[in-house]
Amino acid sequence: MYQDIRVINEMVQAESGFVETLKTEIAKVIVGQDYMVDRLLIGLLSDGHILLEGVPGLAKTLTVKTLSDCIQTKFQRIQFTPDLLPADLIGTMIYNQKEGVFVPKKGPIFTNIVLADEINRAPAKVQSGLLEAMQERQVTIGDTTFPLDAPFLVLATQNPIEQEGTYPLPEAQVDRFMLKLKISYPTRQEELQITERMAGGSPIVVRQVISPDDILRARSVVNQVYMDDKIKEYIIDIVFATREPKKYRLPELENMIEYGASPRASIYLHKAARAHAFLRRRGYVTPEDVKAVGLDILRHRVILSYEAEAEERQPEDIIKQIFDTVEVP
């Protein structure tokens, strides 16, 4: 067992070398926001889509664009609007007069990294167009299904304070996002650096430092990061505590949670914890890895009751209480 962990550690050390190079390139443009960059890399390494929520001006779009500029991949930014149609996203069938047949015209979804800007501004029909792409990594146009190239990652942004002209995302779609990030304001010192850097007027150019093959190789190593059975049981306990809090010495949460986390939460906690360990250049998962990513994976999967909302409880409060109570292996 220890021999195997030593081998995995060596593999992690060899394949994770690009992480610091990538972070250094991103830092040429982005000041601070280490949490956001770290979670974007976790999504990239564990093949999971990410929803970024924050007020305008916190560099959500810029960070995603900078990340894509550092990777030798195709990138598309799609501005979601109330008049957007599914065909504008996935494509449609057009008539070829010369041959007398309908042929598919692929939409912007056929890329590697998709930035869905202000995703909550598009109606339900457009959101449904994303579901197949996000879950099955394929798109159906007419009666033909087209696989999407790997890696394929949807990074979506939404504004929590401007509600006019927005549509709440369907629960089925929200559940398909591996992580939901809450982006906060920079510190005073960071904002001073931002103004000095961005007010200069000269564009900042980043280098392409990794390729899709690098990402796919790193994902293969991430999947081999060792996770002890006790850590696996710990993840299941966390998820089940959101569904059956009374069994986990949390009877006060019984009336606070309307719906607990889905099985996707267990799957994504496994994947994200491994990716978190990989970023720390470790070949094994610790409970701290699970705790580090737990809030981002569970905050959009735990649906609170009317009673909790009346008491102004937030999902983050409930999740922190669960992590504080469930026994750590």
Side-chain angles (χ1 to χ4, degrees):
M1 178 65 69
Y2 292 108
Q3 181 68 29
D4 291 342
I5 294 177
R6 191 179 300 116
V7 171
I8 296 169
N9 262 324
E10 291 172 358
M11 292 169 61
V12 168
Q13 293 291 330
E15 291 295 336
S16 63
F18 71 86
V19 172
E20 288 308 315
T21 307
L22 186 57
K23 285 184 176 181
T24 301
E25 285 299 308
I26 293 172
K28 290 180 180 179
V29 179
I30 306 300
V31 176
Q33 297 294 8
D34 295 334
Y35 157 77
M36 176 165 46
V37 172
D38 197 63
R39 296 306 185 266
L40 288 176
L41 292 179
I42 286 175
L44 193 66
L45 291 169
S46 48
D47 197 17
H49 310 295
I50 300 176
L51 180 62
L52 301 95
E53 184 178 282
V55 298
L58 297 183
K60 300 184 298 295
T61 301
L62 182 61
T63 304
V64 173
K65 177 68 168 63
T66 304
L67 172 65
S68 67
D69 287 343
C70 294
I71 307 171
Q72 299 163 16
T73 54
K74 294 178 287 183
F75 171 76
Q76 285 282 358
R77 176 184 180 275
I78 306 170
Q79 181 64 51
F80 278 51
T81 57
D83 59 350
L84 197 71
L85 299 173
D88 298 327
L89 184 68
I90 64 173
T92 187
M93 302 294 289
I94 61 172
Y95 185 68
N96 186 326
Q97 286 186 322
K98 186 176 180 180
E99 299 181 8
V101 294
F102 283 93
V103 294
K105 179 177 173 54
K106 295 180 178 179
I109 196 76
F110 288 89
T111 187
N112 295 115
I113 298 178
V114 178
L115 170 56
D117 228 350
E118 295 188 293
I119 190 172
N120 55 336
R121 289 197 175 280
K125 282 186 177 181
V126 177
Q127 308 295 354
S128 65
L130 266 180
L131 285 179
E132 183 183 13
M134 291 175 68
Q135 186 62 31
E136 276 81 35
R137 263 67 173 183
Q138 65 183 30
V139 170
T140 302
I141 304 174
D143 57 358
T144 307
T145 299
F146 301 91
L148 296 167
D149 293 338
F152 174 74
L153 199 64
V154 174
L155 305 174
T157 68
Q158 69 176 11
N159 178 1
I161 60 173
E162 177 58 64
Q163 296 303 320
E164 188 173 341
T166 62
Y167 302 81
L169 296 182
E171 293 300 333
Q173 183 177 3
V174 172
D175 196 44
R176 281 168 170 79
F177 284 103
M178 180 184 207
L179 307 167
K180 180 181 179 182
L181 313 184
K182 290 285 186 76
I183 311 303
S184 58
Y185 288 107
T187 64
R188 181 183 177 86
Q189 188 59 36
E190 287 171 349
E191 191 143 348
L192 183 61
Q193 292 181 48
I194 291 169
T195 54
E196 289 174 349
R197 185 177 299 183
M198 296 303 175
S202 56
I204 303 170
V205 180
V206 295
R207 297 179 298 121
Q208 292 185 333
V209 292
I210 59 170
S211 68
D213 288 340
D214 294 327
I215 296 169
L216 297 178
R217 279 202 313 274
R219 284 181 179 179
S220 175
V221 175
V222 167
N223 291 335
Q224 298 178 61
V225 169
Y226 175 73
M227 181 180 288
D228 191 83
D229 288 341
K230 290 181 180 178
I231 303 288
K232 295 176 183 178
E233 294 284 349
Y234 178 55
I235 288 173
I236 299 301
D237 284 340
I238 292 293
V239 173
F240 267 75
T242 69
R243 304 176 195 167
E244 304 168 352
K246 192 179 291 185
K247 291 184 179 179
Y248 292 86
R249 295 179 287 113
L250 290 162
E252 67 275 17
L253 298 185
E254 191 77 20
N255 298 323
M256 295 288 172
I257 301 174
E258 189 72 25
Y259 297 101
S262 71
R264 278 199 189 98
S266 301
I267 296 168
Y268 286 153
L269 274 169
H270 276 79
K271 289 185 171 186
R274 284 191 165 107
H276 190 269
F278 178 91
L279 290 177
R280 270 63 186 169
R281 311 195 78 171
R282 274 190 282 104
Y284 56 92
V285 176
T286 68
E288 290 307 312
D289 294 313
V290 179
K291 287 184 175 182
V293 299
L295 195 59
D296 299 318
I297 284 173
L298 293 172
R299 64 158 50 97
H300 55 301
R301 293 187 164 88
V302 174
I303 311 301
L304 301 189
S305 64
Y306 288 117
E307 184 177 334
E309 291 177 1
E311 294 183 15
E312 298 185 347
R313 298 291 297 273
Q314 298 296 320
E316 288 83 355
D317 303 330
I318 304 292
I319 295 163
K320 286 175 182 175
Q321 189 173 345
I322 289 172
F323 270 103
D324 289 342
T325 306
V326 173
E327 186 176 350
V328 179

